[in-house]
Amino acid sequence: MPRRTGLLLICLALAACQRPEPVTHGMVIEEAGSPQEGGAISTEPVKVAPARPDTRRPPKTPILEPIRPATSVKRDVDWSPLELTAGTASISCELDYVALGDGEPLAKLDHDGVRAALAPCAQGGVARLRYKGKITGEFGSLVERVTRVADELGIGKRVLDVDSAGGQVEDAIQAGDFIAESRWTIWVREGAICHSACVFILSAGDTRMIAGQVGIHRIIRMSSTATTRAELNAELRVVYERVSDYLERNGAAVAVADLMMAVPNRSLRLLTADELQLYGLDGVNPAQDDLDRLRLMRKCGEDFVSRRDSFARAFDKRCKQPDTDLDALNACGLALRTDFGFPDNTCPAESPLSEFDRDTATLTPPKNRQSGPQAVTAKSPPKQGDGDS
């Protein structure tokens, strides 16, 4: 018996020395830019309620002030003089940015100026707002103005083509709540980034098409008066509670907020394609999809919804390949959707990628393009597993 005990102790000692390697799951950490370049900055004052008087069993977390309700999308647009000082914007009536660029700079942001920029897009019913810069209150006002005029002109298909290193958290949440009620598709194309507070904008889109970088890190409390770690964490907990509530109502996983807490603000964690899918930041917005399914079932029928779901699964499997640029991703989807009967004769405007359709009776992918990494053509049958199963 003593000999067996000795052998057992030796085995346990050896096992203790052989610690498993940490699992990183392909996590990529980069150096983040300075707060002047973007970031996830919170400046809005917060109120942290005092701890309970029972010091024998202090609460694990501070009592938080109630979350402010989301700003209603029905509010009137403020048309007071506006100038973009933290970014640049342009309007295009075309989605083929490779061949046709990003349109004309949006120089005048009053009602007449925005209407003049969007008027040529009324005939095709599609407008693309290209924005490059920080997420600020100016950005939110820009999106509101473009949305309101697009509504006036009957432009129902809107694409926000964004390239941003982040900015103000509160401004991003306010703009995101407006975007969530305004039917925007959001692009992060190759060479572009959506970091820090920009992720809140990304989460608000009805559909997200991503070929660039998406990254997160810890929120910076620039206006904090905290003098201890506990005081700073109490303030941040209020902010993160607001962030979590925002992510939840817009269909993204609240785990994104937890991930942000774990990444120093001087660093940046780039989300992988699998993580973007897992956390509800890529493709069709889960929250909007629930609403659309009910509406489309009544309007377009059960068969339409079934084919739409099958297309979405096939698109994820066949078009979303590593290092695919957004132009090729769109072309792949345009060719693939004909295999599932889209655009649909009954509901052409509700069909996947309908923003590309000038004439809903016909479908042609962008000219002189391959239709994605696997060169999918309209005649190629769906691979096994692409349909309903």
Side-chain angles (χ1 to χ4, degrees), residues 71 89 121 238 248 322 385:
T71 305
C121 304
V238 175
E248 184 176 18

Side-chain angles (χ1 to χ4, degrees), residues 125-147:
V126 178
R128 175 165 56 94
L129 171 62
R130 170 70 170 171
Y131 179 79
K132 185 173 183 178
K134 293 173 64 176
I135 304 300
T136 64
E138 296 171 357
F139 166 79
S141 295
L142 168 68
V143 173
E144 288 185 9
R145 295 180 183 204
V146 171
T147 301

Side-chain angles (χ1 to χ4, degrees), residues 16-58:
C17 293
Q18 296 175 350
R19 295 180 179 178
E21 293 293 328
V23 179
T24 61
H25 298 293
M27 183 172 63
V28 179
I29 300 293
E30 289 190 354
E31 181 179 351
S34 66
Q36 288 73 26
E37 297 173 351
I41 302 170
S42 173
T43 57
E44 188 169 295
V46 298
K47 296 179 181 179
V48 181
R52 296 173 183 173
D54 184 4
T55 57
R56 292 174 299 173
R57 297 184 64 185

Side-chain angles (χ1 to χ4, degrees), residues 93-380:
C93 305
E94 302 292 338
L95 301 182
D96 188 351
Y97 61 91
V98 173
L100 302 174
D102 292 324
E104 296 297 324
L106 188 55
K108 296 182 179 180
L109 297 175
D110 59 0
H111 185 273
D112 290 343
V114 175
R115 189 178 180 89
L118 284 172
C121 304
Q123 182 176 1
V126 178
R128 175 165 56 94
L129 171 62
R130 170 70 170 171
Y131 179 79
K132 185 173 183 178
K134 293 173 64 176
I135 304 300
T136 64
E138 296 171 357
F139 166 79
S141 295
L142 168 68
V143 173
E144 288 185 9
R145 295 180 183 204
V146 171
T147 301
R148 285 292 186 253
V149 174
D151 286 342
E152 294 172 8
L153 295 173
I155 302 171
K157 302 293 183 180
R158 303 96 183 253
V159 174
L160 173 59
D161 185 354
V162 68
D163 185 356
S164 175
Q168 297 285 334
V169 171
E170 289 81 13
D171 290 338
I173 288 177
Q174 182 171 339
D177 278 328
F178 184 90
I179 289 170
E181 299 298 329
S182 305
R183 307 310 302 257
W184 281 88
T185 292
I186 299 181
W187 288 1
V188 183
R189 70 195 199 202
E190 64 282 358
I193 60 174
C194 184
H195 292 167
S196 308
C198 177
V199 174
F200 303 140
I201 301 300
L202 186 65
S203 67
D206 281 11
T207 303
R208 289 70 52 90
M209 302 287 281
I210 302 172
Q213 287 186 352
V214 178
I216 58 174
H217 62 182
R218 191 175 174 91
I219 293 173
I220 308 171
R221 280 290 295 165
M222 297 295 287
S223 62
S224 175
T225 58
T227 57
T228 67
R229 184 187 301 176
E231 291 175 350
L232 180 59
N233 282 340
E235 289 185 14
L236 283 173
R237 195 170 294 278
V238 175
V239 177
Y240 276 96
E241 187 71 17
R242 293 174 180 169
V243 167
S244 296
D245 182 66
Y246 168 82
L247 292 170
E248 184 176 18
R249 68 176 174 262
N250 283 300
V254 296
V256 174
D258 296 332
L259 285 176
M260 294 177 71
M261 286 285 285
V263 182
N265 54 52
R266 65 179 178 276
S267 301
L268 186 74
R269 174 173 173 173
L270 300 182
L271 299 180
T272 66
D274 288 341
E275 286 175 326
L276 290 170
Q277 287 280 351
L278 179 65
Y279 301 135
L281 295 172
D282 189 16
V284 178
N285 188 305
Q288 187 62 43
D289 192 47
D290 286 345
L291 287 173
D292 285 344
R293 288 180 67 84
L294 296 173
R295 178 177 59 86
L296 294 176
M297 191 75 73
R298 293 190 294 265
K299 179 180 179 180
C300 306
E302 185 176 348
D303 175 68
F304 179 97
V305 174
S306 178
R307 285 184 286 116
R308 176 175 169 267
D309 291 344
S310 297
F311 166 80
R313 291 193 292 270
F315 180 79
D316 288 344
K317 291 179 181 179
R318 299 174 63 181
C319 297
K320 290 186 176 180
Q321 302 297 327
D323 302 321
T324 302
D325 62 47
L326 190 59
D327 184 55
L329 193 65
N330 286 328
C332 178
L334 285 172
L336 177 63
R337 68 178 186 163
T338 60
D339 295 336
F340 298 91
F342 295 118
D344 185 83
N345 291 330
T346 303
C347 293
E350 308 290 352
S351 299
L353 298 175
S354 62
E355 61 268 24
F356 285 90
D357 299 335
R358 288 297 188 272
D359 180 359
T360 55
T362 62
L363 164 68
T364 55
K367 295 181 179 179
N368 301 322
R369 297 279 196 281
Q370 287 186 338
S371 54
Q374 296 178 338
V376 179
T377 66
K379 295 181 180 179
S380 60

Side-chain angles (χ1 to χ4, degrees), residues 30-92:
E30 289 190 354
E31 181 179 351
S34 66
Q36 288 73 26
E37 297 173 351
I41 302 170
S42 173
T43 57
E44 188 169 295
V46 298
K47 296 179 181 179
V48 181
R52 296 173 183 173
D54 184 4
T55 57
R56 292 174 299 173
R57 297 184 64 185
K60 294 182 180 179
T61 59
I63 303 172
L64 307 181
E65 65 175 353
I67 305 299
R68 296 180 306 160
T71 305
S72 174
V73 73
K74 300 299 184 182
R75 67 182 185 278
D76 293 333
V77 173
D78 179 8
W79 288 101
S80 59
L82 175 66
E83 181 181 358
L84 295 181
T85 61
T88 58
S90 60
I91 293 290
S92 175

